[in-house]
Every structure is written in structure tokens, then in C-alpha cells.
């Protein structure tokens, strides 16, 4: 009887030991993947910790791939770093958990195990992969958006300009949502000029320096002046000011203000912002956005559907760089 009990106990312990071991897919790292996919494996005391480890696994793999590509370019192109390699570097720097898909997860013997997938392709290609059928996707007709680099890249993948909606930090096409970050936001910044709007301002200013914006209007309408920071924060200088043909105005009023102050937050050495003068034939609702504040740290909402509101208006944009 003693021998029998010991044998059963041994079998039970052996079975529990087998159950407590990590899953085979984690031990073997053998989840199938395509050429443009990277799989990261991680373990941790919490699920979030396991995801962070898996994300770092992907970042390390991508770093090695990028360095290898750079070395090849240095040899074959006389130290010329091509745009596609630079884009690879940008993709690596922007990886976070929202870009990743959980393929497998499990909890064994007090530890969490996870496998994450990252699609190692430029944004426009990742978006196109999200659609098997594109026949029912509507085409974009927004005059401003059609000029942007982002829409041009999407057109290269879809064969036409897909209709987009921008909601907070997401790009939406046909009810499918794709995260966009600061780097992608820059692809919505364009230099464009209307014959009816002439805008003059400095191109570069120093932190703490003041400046004015001068506008000449060649036809009547409702004039608005908006600023979009490179992180997407959007502020209204003024909105729906009724103007008449051939008027000139300066913002802000020199009698009341020293000007607009270029301001950099602590730890930031440079920003590139976009000032947009908009002349419309009817008033536009910009109430969602904050008016320019006297407080430097005032919260400003992200651009959202701003570009859709200004469709069919005359637009002139000016970039301004603020340096430390």
C-alpha cells in the first residue's frame, strides 16, 4: 500500500509539473509568420509586463534588421541613406502596444506568456492589408486632403483616394480604424496657397520670441486662423471673422499684444507647427477646438475632423519652426 501511494503521488507531481511548464509555442518560438511580420515573445508576472517584454523582443529584431539594411546601403550607395530605410527607422521608433496584435497568451505556474505580432510595413501598406475587398470603399473628395502625402501614399496602395475620417488619433476608412501618430500627422501638413489669401510670418523663431501674422484677403467671406502643432494639438487664433475684399489685417493687434510667443516645453529643442488661414463663404463650427490661451500649458484638443470642416474653402498654410 505504501508503494502504491508513493507511485500515485509521483505520477501526480509529474503531471502537475508538465502542466506548469510554459506552452510549447512559447518554448519553441514556432508560431508561423509571413515575411513582413515580426513575432515577439514575452513572459512576466503580469500580462502587461509580458507584453512589454514581447514588444522589446520585436524592437530588438527590427533594430537588427534595420542596421543590416543600413550597412548594405552604406556599402552599395556610398553612404547614402535612402528614404525607405529612414522610414524603417521611424517605424521602429513609433512601436507601442497599440500597433501590436496578440496572437497567443497563457498563464502557467504564476507567469503570463504572450506572443505579439507586428506588421513591418509602412503605414499605407498596413492599412491596405486590412481590406480584402475594396469595391465598396468611397473615394475622397476633400481638396485639402487630396494634396497630402498621406492620401498620395494610400492612393498608391488602393489605386484610388480612399475616403478617410480622422477621429482623435485614428484614421478611419470604411468603419475600420488605424492608429496614427505624430510622424503620420506630418504627412497631413501641406504647403498650399490660395490666390485669395496672402499670409506673411517668420519661418523660424527662437523660443520666447514674439511674432505677428499678416493676412491680405482678395475676396469677401469668413476668415479663420488656426494653428496645428506637430503633435496634433489644435488652437484657434480667431474664427469666422467677417472680411471684405482687399482688406489687410494683422494678428494679434499690436496695440494690445506683444505678439504670439514661440514656446517650447521643457526638454523639447524644436517643433514644427502649421498655421492655416481659411476663407469660407459660410461660417464654420470650430467650437470643438480651444482658442489660443494666455496660459502656455493650456490643453488643446487634437485635430480630429478639422480637415473635413475646411473643405471647399480657400486655404493658405504656413509652417513655422521654433528652436531652443
Amino acid at each position: 500500500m505504501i508503494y502504491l501511494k508513493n507511485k500515485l503521488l509521483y505520477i501526480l507531481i509529474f503531471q502537475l509539473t508538465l502542466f506548469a511548464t510554459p506552452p510549447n509555442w512559447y518554448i519553441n518560438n514556432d508560431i508561423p509568420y509571413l515575411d513582413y511580420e515580426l513575432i515577439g515573445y514575452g513572459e512576466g508576472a503580469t500580462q502587461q509586463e509580458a507584453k512589454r517584454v514581447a514588444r522589446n523582443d520585436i524592437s530588438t529584431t527590427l533594430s537588427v534588421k534595420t542596421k543590416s539594411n543600413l550597412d548594405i546601403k552604406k556599402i552599395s550607395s556610398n553612404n547614402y541613406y535612402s528614404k525607405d530605410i529612414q522610414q524603417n527607422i521611424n517605424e521602429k521608433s513609433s512601436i507601442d502596444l497599440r500597433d501590436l496584435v496578440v496572437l497567443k497568451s497563457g498563464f502557467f505556474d504564476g507567469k503570463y506568456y504572450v506572443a505579439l505580432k507586428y506588421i513591418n510595413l509602412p503605414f499605407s501598406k498596413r492599412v491596405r492589408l486590412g481590406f480584402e475587398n475594396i469595391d465598396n470603399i468611397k473615394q475622397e473628395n476633400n481638396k485639402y486632403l487630396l494634396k497630402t502625402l498621406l492620401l498620395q501614399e494610400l492612393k498608391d496602395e488602393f489605386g484610388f483616394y480612399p475616403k478617410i475620417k480622422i477621429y482623435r488619433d485614428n484614421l478611419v476608412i470604411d468603419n475600420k480604424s488605424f492608429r496614427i501618430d505624430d510622424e503620420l500627422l506630418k504627412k497631413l501638413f501641406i504647403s498650399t496657397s490660395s490666390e485669395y489669401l496672402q499670409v506673411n510670418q517668420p519661418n523660424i523663431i527662437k523660443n520666447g520670441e514674439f511674432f505677428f501674422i499678416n493676412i491680405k484677403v482678395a475676396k469677401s467671406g469668413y476668415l479663420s486662423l488656426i494653428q496645428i502643432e506637430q503633435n496634433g494639438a489644435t488652437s484657434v487664433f480667431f474664427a469666422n471673422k467677417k472680411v471684405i475684399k482687399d482688406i489687410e489685417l494683422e494678428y494679434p493687434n499690436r496695440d494690445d499684444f506683444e505678439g504670439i510667443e514661440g514656446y517650447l516645453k521643457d526638454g523639447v529643442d524644436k517643433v514644427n507647427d502649421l498655421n492655416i488661414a481659411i476663407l469660407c463663404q459660410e461660417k464654420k463650427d470650430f467650437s470643438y477646438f480651444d482658442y489660443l490661451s494666455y496660459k502656455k500649458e493650456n490643453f488643446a484638443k487634437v485635430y480630429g475632423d478639422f480637415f473635413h470642416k475646411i473643405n471647399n474653402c480657400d486655404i493658405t498654410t504656413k509652417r513655422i519652426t521654433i528652436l531652443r
Side-chain angles (χ1 to χ4, degrees):
M1 293 294 294
I2 295 175
Y3 175 76
L4 181 60
K5 285 184 179 179
N6 287 342
K7 186 174 182 180
L8 289 174
L9 182 62
Y10 172 79
I11 293 172
L12 180 60
I13 293 173
F14 178 72
Q15 288 176 337
L16 288 174
T17 303
L18 283 177
F19 182 76
T21 58
N24 287 333
W25 54 261
Y26 181 83
I27 296 174
N28 299 325
N29 288 187
D30 60 358
I31 296 176
Y33 60 92
L34 301 174
D35 288 344
Y36 53 80
E37 295 176 337
L38 298 178
I39 309 298
Y41 298 87
E43 64 177 273
T46 66
Q47 194 172 52
Q48 281 301 107
E49 182 183 349
K51 286 181 178 180
R52 284 195 295 270
V53 173
R55 179 193 60 194
N56 292 338
D57 186 27
I58 291 174
S59 295
T60 301
T61 303
L62 185 55
S63 178
V64 171
K65 286 179 175 289
T66 302
K67 184 177 185 302
S68 175
N69 286 338
L70 284 171
D71 288 340
I72 293 171
K73 288 293 179 181
K74 287 167 72 174
I75 294 171
S76 62
S77 303
N78 194 24
N79 208 28
Y80 174 72
Y81 293 79
S82 67
K83 290 182 179 179
D84 60 320
I85 299 302
Q86 186 62 48
Q87 189 167 25
N88 233 351
I89 296 172
N90 291 337
E91 290 289 338
K92 172 185 177 296
S93 65
S94 65
I95 289 178
D96 68 26
L97 290 176
R98 292 174 296 176
D99 291 315
L100 306 172
V101 177
V102 177
L103 292 179
K104 288 181 179 291
S105 63
F107 180 75
F108 300 89
D109 195 26
K111 281 190 176 182
Y112 289 88
Y113 298 88
V114 67
L116 301 179
K117 178 177 74 174
Y118 176 72
I119 299 177
N120 186 28
L121 290 173
F123 178 77
S124 58
K125 292 184 181 295
R126 298 205 307 266
V127 172
R128 179 62 183 87
L129 281 175
F131 297 91
E132 291 184 10
N133 187 349
I134 61 175
D135 294 340
N136 296 323
I137 296 178
K138 297 179 180 179
Q139 296 194 36
E140 185 59 71
N141 59 6
N142 184 288
K143 294 179 180 178
Y144 179 95
L145 291 174
L146 290 177
K147 297 177 183 178
T148 64
L149 178 58
L150 179 58
L151 261 293
Q152 293 292 332
E153 291 180 352
L154 289 172
K155 178 180 181 292
D156 290 341
E157 300 303 324
F158 283 81
F160 59 91
Y161 295 103
K163 190 169 187 63
I164 70 170
K165 182 176 177 63
I166 299 167
Y167 179 71
R168 295 184 180 176
D169 57 351
N170 290 287
L171 177 81
V172 180
I173 300 177
D174 196 30
N175 295 322
K176 288 191 176 183
S177 181
F178 305 89
R179 189 184 72 86
I180 53 179
D181 55 19
D182 293 358
E183 289 300 317
L184 286 166
L185 171 61
K186 294 176 184 178
K187 295 183 178 182
L188 290 170
F189 284 10
I190 63 172
S191 296
T192 185
S193 180
S194 167
E195 60 181 307
Y196 300 107
L197 278 175
Q198 181 179 332
V199 178
N200 290 304
Q201 66 172 44
N203 295 324
I204 301 174
I205 62 171
K206 290 292 186 70
N207 182 43
E209 187 178 346
F210 292 87
F211 70 98
F212 291 86
I213 301 174
N214 295 279
I215 306 174
K216 292 182 180 180
V217 181
K219 72 175 182 181
S220 300
Y222 293 93
L223 180 66
S224 301
L225 186 62
I226 312 285
Q227 183 180 79
I228 302 181
E229 299 178 25
Q230 68 178 26
N231 65 357
T234 303
S235 299
V236 179
F237 290 120
F238 61 81
N240 298 309
K241 182 188 292 291
K242 179 101 174 137
V243 294
I244 59 174
K245 182 180 178 181
D246 297 329
I247 192 174
E248 297 184 21
L249 60 119
E250 184 176 64
Y251 181 84
N253 189 325
R254 286 180 182 267
D255 295 333
D256 300 321
F257 299 97
E258 295 181 56
I260 306 168
E261 183 180 3
Y263 171 66
L264 294 174
K265 294 181 179 180
D266 292 342
V268 178
D269 294 324
K270 176 183 177 181
V271 296
N272 293 288
D273 299 331
L274 186 72
N275 293 332
I276 308 176
I278 309 149
L279 183 65
C280 307
Q281 294 309 298
E282 66 280 333
K283 291 183 178 181
K284 297 292 183 179
D285 181 13
F286 297 120
S287 59
Y288 170 78
F289 304 106
D290 298 319
Y291 276 78
L292 186 68
S293 173
Y294 303 110
K295 298 179 181 179
K296 294 177 179 178
E297 295 291 352
N298 185 54
F299 173 76
K301 297 182 179 68
V302 296
Y303 47 91
D305 64 348
F306 168 77
F307 299 111
H308 300 281
K309 290 182 179 294
I310 63 177
N311 195 24
N312 297 320
C313 296
D314 292 289
I315 301 166
T316 293
T317 63
K318 288 286 185 179
R319 297 171 188 262
I320 186 165
T321 299
I322 305 172
L323 300 175
R324 178 68 62 183

